[in-house]
Every structure is written in C-alpha cells, then in structure tokens.
Amino acid sequence: MNKFLLILLLCLIAIKSFAGSDSTEVKARKLTYSDFLGKYSINDTSAAVIEIFFDKKDNNAKGEMSFLPITAGVFLIFPVIGAGLSVVSIPMFLHGSYTLIKYRKKKLVNVLTEYRNTGELPKGLRKKVTKSITYEQYNYE
C-alpha cells in the first residue's frame, strides 16, 4: 500500500511539473528590443526609455566587463603589466555588473507599466529621457 501511494504521489508530481501552464505570459528576460517596442511602446518617451535601457545594458555594461578577461590573459603572459591593468579593470568590471543589474529587463517592464498607468517616470530616468529626446530632435533638424 505504501509503495502504491509513493508511486501515485511521484506520478502526480511528474504530471504537475511537466504540464504546460495556461499562462501565455512571456518572461521579461526573454523579450527582445523589438518585442519591447511592439508591446510596451506607447509614445516617443517610452521608446526612448527602451532605447536607454538596451543601450546601457548592451553597449556600456558589456563593454566595461570585457576588459577583465583581457587583463587576465595579459596577467598570464606579463604578470607585472597584468597587475597594473587589473587595478583599472576590476572596478570597471564591478561597475559593468552593477549596470547590468540596474538596467535589467524586468525593471524595464516595471518602469514602462508604471509609465503607462501613471504617466510618471523616475526622476533620474526622466532626465536621461529628456536629454535623449532633445538630442534626437536636434540631429533630425
């Protein structure tokens, strides 16, 4: 009897874990730039917010983080030069990691949802968006 209950319990757990969920909600980390523009962009401001988040994450953060592996390679060949370069590259790597966390996609979804509901952006982001929009208008004229 105990074996039967154990097998039944394991089968129910397996069915529950492998069954597809009814929710068609796509997780924020799987969305791409074009998905964000299509689903969350309601005006130029929200498009600028999306552009800022993806630019910071893809260009700035990953660029800053790429120096540490290069420094590690130099350290293996020339330890004296590598030690000097690591003084510069480790803080850049940490700042790049912080930037990746700060500009993650889930936070972007939360900011855009709040902007859609209230029309308000956080103060620091509002300044960046204003600069970005005026820069784009200046370049098109």
PDB file of all heavy atoms in Angstrom, residues 105-140:
ATOM      1  N   LYS A 105      15.865  43.772 -17.705  1.00  0.00           N
ATOM      2  CA  LYS A 105      14.617  43.828 -18.471  1.00  0.00           C
ATOM      3  C   LYS A 105      13.382  43.824 -17.580  1.00  0.00           C
ATOM      4  O   LYS A 105      12.380  44.450 -17.915  1.00  0.00           O
ATOM      5  CB  LYS A 105      14.560  42.661 -19.453  1.00  0.00           C
ATOM      6  CG  LYS A 105      15.570  42.781 -20.571  1.00  0.00           C
ATOM      7  CD  LYS A 105      15.488  41.602 -21.507  1.00  0.00           C
ATOM      8  CE  LYS A 105      16.519  41.701 -22.594  1.00  0.00           C
ATOM      9  NZ  LYS A 105      16.481  40.527 -23.484  1.00  0.00           N
ATOM     10  N   LYS A 106      13.440  43.142 -16.452  1.00  0.00           N
ATOM     11  CA  LYS A 106      12.285  43.111 -15.560  1.00  0.00           C
ATOM     12  C   LYS A 106      12.006  44.506 -15.010  1.00  0.00           C
ATOM     13  O   LYS A 106      10.855  44.920 -14.897  1.00  0.00           O
ATOM     14  CB  LYS A 106      12.518  42.122 -14.422  1.00  0.00           C
ATOM     15  CG  LYS A 106      11.315  41.929 -13.551  1.00  0.00           C
ATOM     16  CD  LYS A 106      11.518  40.814 -12.566  1.00  0.00           C
ATOM     17  CE  LYS A 106      10.247  40.616 -11.763  1.00  0.00           C
ATOM     18  NZ  LYS A 106      10.345  39.462 -10.879  1.00  0.00           N
ATOM     19  N   LYS A 107      13.064  45.240 -14.692  1.00  0.00           N
ATOM     20  CA  LYS A 107      12.878  46.605 -14.216  1.00  0.00           C
ATOM     21  C   LYS A 107      12.319  47.474 -15.334  1.00  0.00           C
ATOM     22  O   LYS A 107      11.486  48.346 -15.090  1.00  0.00           O
ATOM     23  CB  LYS A 107      14.200  47.177 -13.710  1.00  0.00           C
ATOM     24  CG  LYS A 107      14.034  48.564 -13.139  1.00  0.00           C
ATOM     25  CD  LYS A 107      15.322  49.075 -12.552  1.00  0.00           C
ATOM     26  CE  LYS A 107      15.108  50.481 -12.026  1.00  0.00           C
ATOM     27  NZ  LYS A 107      16.345  51.042 -11.488  1.00  0.00           N
ATOM     28  N   LEU A 108      12.760  47.229 -16.570  1.00  0.00           N
ATOM     29  CA  LEU A 108      12.226  47.978 -17.712  1.00  0.00           C
ATOM     30  C   LEU A 108      10.732  47.744 -17.862  1.00  0.00           C
ATOM     31  O   LEU A 108       9.971  48.684 -18.093  1.00  0.00           O
ATOM     32  CB  LEU A 108      12.962  47.585 -18.994  1.00  0.00           C
ATOM     33  CG  LEU A 108      12.474  48.183 -20.298  1.00  0.00           C
ATOM     34  CD1 LEU A 108      12.534  49.704 -20.274  1.00  0.00           C
ATOM     35  CD2 LEU A 108      13.267  47.636 -21.467  1.00  0.00           C
ATOM     36  N   VAL A 109      10.300  46.507 -17.705  1.00  0.00           N
ATOM     37  CA  VAL A 109       8.862  46.206 -17.777  1.00  0.00           C
ATOM     38  C   VAL A 109       8.119  46.943 -16.677  1.00  0.00           C
ATOM     39  O   VAL A 109       7.057  47.532 -16.915  1.00  0.00           O
ATOM     40  CB  VAL A 109       8.621  44.676 -17.689  1.00  0.00           C
ATOM     41  CG1 VAL A 109       7.155  44.369 -17.485  1.00  0.00           C
ATOM     42  CG2 VAL A 109       9.138  43.986 -18.922  1.00  0.00           C
ATOM     43  N   ASN A 110       8.671  46.944 -15.473  1.00  0.00           N
ATOM     44  CA  ASN A 110       8.014  47.642 -14.361  1.00  0.00           C
ATOM     45  C   ASN A 110       7.936  49.141 -14.606  1.00  0.00           C
ATOM     46  O   ASN A 110       6.905  49.769 -14.342  1.00  0.00           O
ATOM     47  CB  ASN A 110       8.744  47.359 -13.051  1.00  0.00           C
ATOM     48  CG  ASN A 110       8.620  45.922 -12.616  1.00  0.00           C
ATOM     49  OD1 ASN A 110       7.720  45.210 -13.053  1.00  0.00           O
ATOM     50  ND2 ASN A 110       9.527  45.484 -11.774  1.00  0.00           N
ATOM     51  N   VAL A 111       9.014  49.740 -15.117  1.00  0.00           N
ATOM     52  CA  VAL A 111       9.025  51.180 -15.384  1.00  0.00           C
ATOM     53  C   VAL A 111       8.026  51.532 -16.476  1.00  0.00           C
ATOM     54  O   VAL A 111       7.270  52.504 -16.361  1.00  0.00           O
ATOM     55  CB  VAL A 111      10.451  51.650 -15.770  1.00  0.00           C
ATOM     56  CG1 VAL A 111      10.435  53.055 -16.352  1.00  0.00           C
ATOM     57  CG2 VAL A 111      11.362  51.603 -14.562  1.00  0.00           C
ATOM     58  N   LEU A 112       7.987  50.734 -17.544  1.00  0.00           N
ATOM     59  CA  LEU A 112       7.057  51.026 -18.641  1.00  0.00           C
ATOM     60  C   LEU A 112       5.601  50.805 -18.235  1.00  0.00           C
ATOM     61  O   LEU A 112       4.715  51.552 -18.667  1.00  0.00           O
ATOM     62  CB  LEU A 112       7.408  50.180 -19.865  1.00  0.00           C
ATOM     63  CG  LEU A 112       8.715  50.538 -20.559  1.00  0.00           C
ATOM     64  CD1 LEU A 112       9.035  49.533 -21.644  1.00  0.00           C
ATOM     65  CD2 LEU A 112       8.670  51.940 -21.133  1.00  0.00           C
ATOM     66  N   THR A 113       5.347  49.815 -17.406  1.00  0.00           N
ATOM     67  CA  THR A 113       3.989  49.582 -16.922  1.00  0.00           C
ATOM     68  C   THR A 113       3.537  50.732 -16.027  1.00  0.00           C
ATOM     69  O   THR A 113       2.406  51.215 -16.148  1.00  0.00           O
ATOM     70  CB  THR A 113       3.914  48.254 -16.156  1.00  0.00           C
ATOM     71  OG1 THR A 113       4.393  47.212 -17.002  1.00  0.00           O
ATOM     72  CG2 THR A 113       2.504  47.944 -15.726  1.00  0.00           C
ATOM     73  N   GLU A 114       4.439  51.181 -15.152  1.00  0.00           N
ATOM     74  CA  GLU A 114       4.105  52.318 -14.292  1.00  0.00           C
ATOM     75  C   GLU A 114       3.904  53.586 -15.122  1.00  0.00           C
ATOM     76  O   GLU A 114       3.010  54.385 -14.852  1.00  0.00           O
ATOM     77  CB  GLU A 114       5.213  52.546 -13.262  1.00  0.00           C
ATOM     78  CG  GLU A 114       4.924  53.676 -12.314  1.00  0.00           C
ATOM     79  CD  GLU A 114       6.065  53.911 -11.340  1.00  0.00           C
ATOM     80  OE1 GLU A 114       6.855  52.983 -11.111  1.00  0.00           O
ATOM     81  OE2 GLU A 114       6.147  55.033 -10.821  1.00  0.00           O
ATOM     82  N   TYR A 115       4.735  53.761 -16.155  1.00  0.00           N
ATOM     83  CA  TYR A 115       4.590  54.936 -17.018  1.00  0.00           C
ATOM     84  C   TYR A 115       3.257  54.902 -17.764  1.00  0.00           C
ATOM     85  O   TYR A 115       2.598  55.927 -17.918  1.00  0.00           O
ATOM     86  CB  TYR A 115       5.749  55.018 -18.009  1.00  0.00           C
ATOM     87  CG  TYR A 115       5.615  56.159 -18.976  1.00  0.00           C
ATOM     88  CD1 TYR A 115       5.734  57.477 -18.558  1.00  0.00           C
ATOM     89  CD2 TYR A 115       5.357  55.933 -20.325  1.00  0.00           C
ATOM     90  CE1 TYR A 115       5.595  58.531 -19.432  1.00  0.00           C
ATOM     91  CE2 TYR A 115       5.222  56.976 -21.207  1.00  0.00           C
ATOM     92  CZ  TYR A 115       5.342  58.273 -20.760  1.00  0.00           C
ATOM     93  OH  TYR A 115       5.203  59.311 -21.635  1.00  0.00           O
ATOM     94  N   ARG A 116       2.851  53.721 -18.211  1.00  0.00           N
ATOM     95  CA  ARG A 116       1.573  53.590 -18.908  1.00  0.00           C
ATOM     96  C   ARG A 116       0.404  53.917 -17.982  1.00  0.00           C
ATOM     97  O   ARG A 116      -0.565  54.560 -18.376  1.00  0.00           O
ATOM     98  CB  ARG A 116       1.415  52.185 -19.471  1.00  0.00           C
ATOM     99  CG  ARG A 116       0.094  51.992 -20.208  1.00  0.00           C
ATOM    100  CD  ARG A 116      -0.048  50.608 -20.752  1.00  0.00           C
ATOM    101  NE  ARG A 116       0.854  50.460 -21.876  1.00  0.00           N
ATOM    102  CZ  ARG A 116       1.160  49.294 -22.438  1.00  0.00           C
ATOM    103  NH1 ARG A 116       0.654  48.176 -21.957  1.00  0.00           N
ATOM    104  NH2 ARG A 116       1.966  49.237 -23.467  1.00  0.00           N
ATOM    105  N   ASN A 117       0.502  53.483 -16.721  1.00  0.00           N
ATOM    106  CA  ASN A 117      -0.595  53.693 -15.773  1.00  0.00           C
ATOM    107  C   ASN A 117      -0.648  55.103 -15.221  1.00  0.00           C
ATOM    108  O   ASN A 117      -1.729  55.679 -15.089  1.00  0.00           O
ATOM    109  CB  ASN A 117      -0.494  52.693 -14.620  1.00  0.00           C
ATOM    110  CG  ASN A 117      -0.707  51.273 -15.085  1.00  0.00           C
ATOM    111  OD1 ASN A 117      -1.312  51.035 -16.119  1.00  0.00           O
ATOM    112  ND2 ASN A 117      -0.183  50.329 -14.349  1.00  0.00           N
ATOM    113  N   THR A 118       0.512  55.667 -14.866  1.00  0.00           N
ATOM    114  CA  THR A 118       0.518  56.960 -14.191  1.00  0.00           C
ATOM    115  C   THR A 118       1.048  58.110 -15.043  1.00  0.00           C
ATOM    116  O   THR A 118       0.775  59.267 -14.748  1.00  0.00           O
ATOM    117  CB  THR A 118       1.383  56.898 -12.912  1.00  0.00           C
ATOM    118  OG1 THR A 118       2.740  56.617 -13.282  1.00  0.00           O
ATOM    119  CG2 THR A 118       0.862  55.849 -11.961  1.00  0.00           C
ATOM    120  N   GLY A 119       1.821  57.809 -16.071  1.00  0.00           N
ATOM    121  CA  GLY A 119       2.422  58.865 -16.879  1.00  0.00           C
ATOM    122  C   GLY A 119       3.656  59.476 -16.237  1.00  0.00           C
ATOM    123  O   GLY A 119       4.150  60.498 -16.696  1.00  0.00           O
ATOM    124  N   GLU A 120       4.173  58.857 -15.184  1.00  0.00           N
ATOM    125  CA  GLU A 120       5.340  59.364 -14.450  1.00  0.00           C
ATOM    126  C   GLU A 120       6.530  58.436 -14.649  1.00  0.00           C
ATOM    127  O   GLU A 120       6.386  57.224 -14.691  1.00  0.00           O
ATOM    128  CB  GLU A 120       5.026  59.445 -12.953  1.00  0.00           C
ATOM    129  CG  GLU A 120       3.937  60.420 -12.598  1.00  0.00           C
ATOM    130  CD  GLU A 120       4.419  61.862 -12.616  1.00  0.00           C
ATOM    131  OE1 GLU A 120       5.583  62.088 -12.290  1.00  0.00           O
ATOM    132  OE2 GLU A 120       3.613  62.733 -12.967  1.00  0.00           O
ATOM    133  N   LEU A 121       7.715  59.047 -14.761  1.00  0.00           N
ATOM    134  CA  LEU A 121       8.961  58.307 -14.804  1.00  0.00           C
ATOM    135  C   LEU A 121       9.781  58.657 -13.567  1.00  0.00           C
ATOM    136  O   LEU A 121       9.628  59.739 -13.012  1.00  0.00           O
ATOM    137  CB  LEU A 121       9.771  58.687 -16.050  1.00  0.00           C
ATOM    138  CG  LEU A 121       9.266  58.189 -17.392  1.00  0.00           C
ATOM    139  CD1 LEU A 121      10.078  58.797 -18.522  1.00  0.00           C
ATOM    140  CD2 LEU A 121       9.334  56.680 -17.462  1.00  0.00           C
ATOM    141  N   PRO A 122      10.677  57.764 -13.136  1.00  0.00           N
ATOM    142  CA  PRO A 122      11.573  58.130 -12.038  1.00  0.00           C
ATOM    143  C   PRO A 122      12.428  59.341 -12.420  1.00  0.00           C
ATOM    144  O   PRO A 122      12.725  59.568 -13.592  1.00  0.00           O
ATOM    145  CB  PRO A 122      12.449  56.881 -11.859  1.00  0.00           C
ATOM    146  CG  PRO A 122      11.639  55.768 -12.442  1.00  0.00           C
ATOM    147  CD  PRO A 122      10.826  56.375 -13.534  1.00  0.00           C
ATOM    148  N   LYS A 123      12.831  60.119 -11.440  1.00  0.00           N
ATOM    149  CA  LYS A 123      13.490  61.399 -11.668  1.00  0.00           C
ATOM    150  C   LYS A 123      14.769  61.263 -12.502  1.00  0.00           C
ATOM    151  O   LYS A 123      14.958  61.983 -13.481  1.00  0.00           O
ATOM    152  CB  LYS A 123      13.808  62.057 -10.325  1.00  0.00           C
ATOM    153  CG  LYS A 123      14.393  63.435 -10.450  1.00  0.00           C
ATOM    154  CD  LYS A 123      14.644  64.040  -9.082  1.00  0.00           C
ATOM    155  CE  LYS A 123      15.250  65.420  -9.206  1.00  0.00           C
ATOM    156  NZ  LYS A 123      15.526  65.998  -7.890  1.00  0.00           N
ATOM    157  N   GLY A 124      15.645  60.347 -12.136  1.00  0.00           N
ATOM    158  CA  GLY A 124      16.897  60.176 -12.867  1.00  0.00           C
ATOM    159  C   GLY A 124      16.668  59.728 -14.297  1.00  0.00           C
ATOM    160  O   GLY A 124      17.339  60.192 -15.231  1.00  0.00           O
ATOM    161  N   LEU A 125      15.735  58.829 -14.494  1.00  0.00           N
ATOM    162  CA  LEU A 125      15.428  58.344 -15.830  1.00  0.00           C
ATOM    163  C   LEU A 125      14.748  59.427 -16.662  1.00  0.00           C
ATOM    164  O   LEU A 125      14.990  59.536 -17.865  1.00  0.00           O
ATOM    165  CB  LEU A 125      14.540  57.099 -15.739  1.00  0.00           C
ATOM    166  CG  LEU A 125      14.231  56.384 -17.033  1.00  0.00           C
ATOM    167  CD1 LEU A 125      15.509  55.900 -17.705  1.00  0.00           C
ATOM    168  CD2 LEU A 125      13.309  55.210 -16.763  1.00  0.00           C
ATOM    169  N   ARG A 126      13.940  60.251 -16.028  1.00  0.00           N
ATOM    170  CA  ARG A 126      13.265  61.335 -16.738  1.00  0.00           C
ATOM    171  C   ARG A 126      14.286  62.306 -17.328  1.00  0.00           C
ATOM    172  O   ARG A 126      14.140  62.774 -18.454  1.00  0.00           O
ATOM    173  CB  ARG A 126      12.309  62.054 -15.787  1.00  0.00           C
ATOM    174  CG  ARG A 126      11.457  63.119 -16.453  1.00  0.00           C
ATOM    175  CD  ARG A 126      10.428  63.716 -15.511  1.00  0.00           C
ATOM    176  NE  ARG A 126      10.998  64.059 -14.225  1.00  0.00           N
ATOM    177  CZ  ARG A 126      10.465  63.705 -13.055  1.00  0.00           C
ATOM    178  NH1 ARG A 126       9.367  63.003 -13.024  1.00  0.00           N
ATOM    179  NH2 ARG A 126      11.035  64.066 -11.932  1.00  0.00           N
ATOM    180  N   LYS A 127      15.361  62.587 -16.577  1.00  0.00           N
ATOM    181  CA  LYS A 127      16.412  63.471 -17.088  1.00  0.00           C
ATOM    182  C   LYS A 127      17.111  62.857 -18.291  1.00  0.00           C
ATOM    183  O   LYS A 127      17.386  63.546 -19.281  1.00  0.00           O
ATOM    184  CB  LYS A 127      17.439  63.764 -15.991  1.00  0.00           C
ATOM    185  CG  LYS A 127      16.936  64.663 -14.898  1.00  0.00           C
ATOM    186  CD  LYS A 127      18.018  64.898 -13.860  1.00  0.00           C
ATOM    187  CE  LYS A 127      17.519  65.767 -12.734  1.00  0.00           C
ATOM    188  NZ  LYS A 127      18.568  65.973 -11.708  1.00  0.00           N
ATOM    189  N   LYS A 128      17.401  61.564 -18.224  1.00  0.00           N
ATOM    190  CA  LYS A 128      18.056  60.885 -19.341  1.00  0.00           C
ATOM    191  C   LYS A 128      17.164  60.859 -20.573  1.00  0.00           C
ATOM    192  O   LYS A 128      17.635  61.038 -21.693  1.00  0.00           O
ATOM    193  CB  LYS A 128      18.445  59.466 -18.940  1.00  0.00           C
ATOM    194  CG  LYS A 128      19.556  59.419 -17.930  1.00  0.00           C
ATOM    195  CD  LYS A 128      19.835  58.002 -17.513  1.00  0.00           C
ATOM    196  CE  LYS A 128      20.863  57.999 -16.395  1.00  0.00           C
ATOM    197  NZ  LYS A 128      21.131  56.673 -15.890  1.00  0.00           N
ATOM    198  N   VAL A 129      15.881  60.634 -20.375  1.00  0.00           N
ATOM    199  CA  VAL A 129      14.939  60.595 -21.493  1.00  0.00           C
ATOM    200  C   VAL A 129      14.830  61.973 -22.143  1.00  0.00           C
ATOM    201  O   VAL A 129      14.821  62.101 -23.372  1.00  0.00           O
ATOM    202  CB  VAL A 129      13.553  60.080 -21.034  1.00  0.00           C
ATOM    203  CG1 VAL A 129      12.496  60.304 -22.078  1.00  0.00           C
ATOM    204  CG2 VAL A 129      13.639  58.612 -20.673  1.00  0.00           C
ATOM    205  N   THR A 130      14.771  63.018 -21.333  1.00  0.00           N
ATOM    206  CA  THR A 130      14.693  64.378 -21.866  1.00  0.00           C
ATOM    207  C   THR A 130      15.922  64.703 -22.699  1.00  0.00           C
ATOM    208  O   THR A 130      15.813  65.246 -23.800  1.00  0.00           O
ATOM    209  CB  THR A 130      14.557  65.395 -20.711  1.00  0.00           C
ATOM    210  OG1 THR A 130      13.416  65.031 -19.935  1.00  0.00           O
ATOM    211  CG2 THR A 130      14.381  66.801 -21.242  1.00  0.00           C
ATOM    212  N   LYS A 131      17.103  64.339 -22.200  1.00  0.00           N
ATOM    213  CA  LYS A 131      18.335  64.570 -22.957  1.00  0.00           C
ATOM    214  C   LYS A 131      18.333  63.782 -24.256  1.00  0.00           C
ATOM    215  O   LYS A 131      18.732  64.287 -25.307  1.00  0.00           O
ATOM    216  CB  LYS A 131      19.553  64.189 -22.125  1.00  0.00           C
ATOM    217  CG  LYS A 131      19.885  65.154 -21.039  1.00  0.00           C
ATOM    218  CD  LYS A 131      21.120  64.693 -20.282  1.00  0.00           C
ATOM    219  CE  LYS A 131      21.424  65.589 -19.113  1.00  0.00           C
ATOM    220  NZ  LYS A 131      22.603  65.121 -18.357  1.00  0.00           N
ATOM    221  N   SER A 132      17.893  62.548 -24.196  1.00  0.00           N
ATOM    222  CA  SER A 132      17.872  61.692 -25.386  1.00  0.00           C
ATOM    223  C   SER A 132      16.920  62.224 -26.450  1.00  0.00           C
ATOM    224  O   SER A 132      17.259  62.266 -27.639  1.00  0.00           O
ATOM    225  CB  SER A 132      17.472  60.275 -24.993  1.00  0.00           C
ATOM    226  OG  SER A 132      17.326  59.453 -26.111  1.00  0.00           O
ATOM    227  N   ILE A 133      15.738  62.648 -26.026  1.00  0.00           N
ATOM    228  CA  ILE A 133      14.752  63.148 -26.996  1.00  0.00           C
ATOM    229  C   ILE A 133      15.224  64.460 -27.611  1.00  0.00           C
ATOM    230  O   ILE A 133      15.107  64.656 -28.823  1.00  0.00           O
ATOM    231  CB  ILE A 133      13.370  63.279 -26.334  1.00  0.00           C
ATOM    232  CG1 ILE A 133      12.793  61.882 -26.046  1.00  0.00           C
ATOM    233  CG2 ILE A 133      12.410  64.072 -27.207  1.00  0.00           C
ATOM    234  CD1 ILE A 133      11.507  61.890 -25.282  1.00  0.00           C
ATOM    235  N   THR A 134      15.766  65.370 -26.810  1.00  0.00           N
ATOM    236  CA  THR A 134      16.249  66.637 -27.374  1.00  0.00           C
ATOM    237  C   THR A 134      17.444  66.409 -28.282  1.00  0.00           C
ATOM    238  O   THR A 134      17.589  67.085 -29.303  1.00  0.00           O
ATOM    239  CB  THR A 134      16.616  67.642 -26.268  1.00  0.00           C
ATOM    240  OG1 THR A 134      17.497  67.022 -25.347  1.00  0.00           O
ATOM    241  CG2 THR A 134      15.393  68.163 -25.570  1.00  0.00           C
ATOM    242  N   TYR A 135      18.290  65.446 -27.962  1.00  0.00           N
ATOM    243  CA  TYR A 135      19.438  65.121 -28.820  1.00  0.00           C
ATOM    244  C   TYR A 135      18.953  64.578 -30.161  1.00  0.00           C
ATOM    245  O   TYR A 135      19.475  64.951 -31.212  1.00  0.00           O
ATOM    246  CB  TYR A 135      20.341  64.110 -28.119  1.00  0.00           C
ATOM    247  CG  TYR A 135      21.527  63.689 -28.944  1.00  0.00           C
ATOM    248  CD1 TYR A 135      22.612  64.532 -29.120  1.00  0.00           C
ATOM    249  CD2 TYR A 135      21.560  62.440 -29.565  1.00  0.00           C
ATOM    250  CE1 TYR A 135      23.696  64.150 -29.878  1.00  0.00           C
ATOM    251  CE2 TYR A 135      22.640  62.048 -30.322  1.00  0.00           C
ATOM    252  CZ  TYR A 135      23.713  62.905 -30.482  1.00  0.00           C
ATOM    253  OH  TYR A 135      24.781  62.509 -31.238  1.00  0.00           O
ATOM    254  N   GLU A 136      17.949  63.698 -30.137  1.00  0.00           N
ATOM    255  CA  GLU A 136      17.422  63.138 -31.381  1.00  0.00           C
ATOM    256  C   GLU A 136      16.727  64.214 -32.218  1.00  0.00           C
ATOM    257  O   GLU A 136      16.867  64.262 -33.444  1.00  0.00           O
ATOM    258  CB  GLU A 136      16.445  62.007 -31.091  1.00  0.00           C
ATOM    259  CG  GLU A 136      17.117  60.747 -30.603  1.00  0.00           C
ATOM    260  CD  GLU A 136      16.132  59.654 -30.278  1.00  0.00           C
ATOM    261  OE1 GLU A 136      14.947  59.773 -30.696  1.00  0.00           O
ATOM    262  OE2 GLU A 136      16.538  58.683 -29.637  1.00  0.00           O
ATOM    263  N   GLN A 137      15.982  65.120 -31.581  1.00  0.00           N
ATOM    264  CA  GLN A 137      15.322  66.196 -32.318  1.00  0.00           C
ATOM    265  C   GLN A 137      16.353  67.131 -32.926  1.00  0.00           C
ATOM    266  O   GLN A 137      16.182  67.609 -34.056  1.00  0.00           O
ATOM    267  CB  GLN A 137      14.379  66.975 -31.400  1.00  0.00           C
ATOM    268  CG  GLN A 137      13.145  66.219 -31.022  1.00  0.00           C
ATOM    269  CD  GLN A 137      12.291  66.973 -30.021  1.00  0.00           C
ATOM    270  OE1 GLN A 137      12.703  67.974 -29.448  1.00  0.00           O
ATOM    271  NE2 GLN A 137      11.078  66.474 -29.788  1.00  0.00           N
ATOM    272  N   TYR A 138      17.432  67.399 -32.205  1.00  0.00           N
ATOM    273  CA  TYR A 138      18.473  68.288 -32.709  1.00  0.00           C
ATOM    274  C   TYR A 138      19.181  67.674 -33.918  1.00  0.00           C
ATOM    275  O   TYR A 138      19.504  68.365 -34.873  1.00  0.00           O
ATOM    276  CB  TYR A 138      19.486  68.592 -31.592  1.00  0.00           C
ATOM    277  CG  TYR A 138      20.618  69.468 -32.029  1.00  0.00           C
ATOM    278  CD1 TYR A 138      20.425  70.817 -32.263  1.00  0.00           C
ATOM    279  CD2 TYR A 138      21.888  68.932 -32.226  1.00  0.00           C
ATOM    280  CE1 TYR A 138      21.466  71.618 -32.675  1.00  0.00           C
ATOM    281  CE2 TYR A 138      22.934  69.732 -32.633  1.00  0.00           C
ATOM    282  CZ  TYR A 138      22.721  71.083 -32.859  1.00  0.00           C
ATOM    283  OH  TYR A 138      23.757  71.864 -33.264  1.00  0.00           O
ATOM    284  N   ASN A 139      19.383  66.372 -33.901  1.00  0.00           N
ATOM    285  CA  ASN A 139      20.060  65.713 -35.015  1.00  0.00           C
ATOM    286  C   ASN A 139      19.182  65.576 -36.248  1.00  0.00           C
ATOM    287  O   ASN A 139      19.685  65.518 -37.370  1.00  0.00           O
ATOM    288  CB  ASN A 139      20.551  64.318 -34.594  1.00  0.00           C
ATOM    289  CG  ASN A 139      21.801  64.395 -33.759  1.00  0.00           C
ATOM    290  OD1 ASN A 139      22.528  65.387 -33.800  1.00  0.00           O
ATOM    291  ND2 ASN A 139      22.064  63.364 -32.997  1.00  0.00           N
ATOM    292  N   TYR A 140      17.869  65.529 -36.088  1.00  0.00           N
ATOM    293  CA  TYR A 140      17.000  65.393 -37.244  1.00  0.00           C
ATOM    294  C   TYR A 140      16.737  66.718 -37.929  1.00  0.00           C
ATOM    295  O   TYR A 140      16.299  66.749 -39.069  1.00  0.00           O
ATOM    296  CB  TYR A 140      15.659  64.748 -36.844  1.00  0.00           C
ATOM    297  CG  TYR A 140      15.788  63.271 -36.577  1.00  0.00           C
ATOM    298  CD1 TYR A 140      15.354  62.726 -35.377  1.00  0.00           C
ATOM    299  CD2 TYR A 140      16.343  62.416 -37.520  1.00  0.00           C
ATOM    300  CE1 TYR A 140      15.479  61.384 -35.124  1.00  0.00           C
ATOM    301  CE2 TYR A 140      16.467  61.078 -37.282  1.00  0.00           C
ATOM    302  CZ  TYR A 140      16.035  60.556 -36.087  1.00  0.00           C
ATOM    303  OH  TYR A 140      16.160  59.217 -35.834  1.00  0.00           O
TER     304      TYR A 140
END
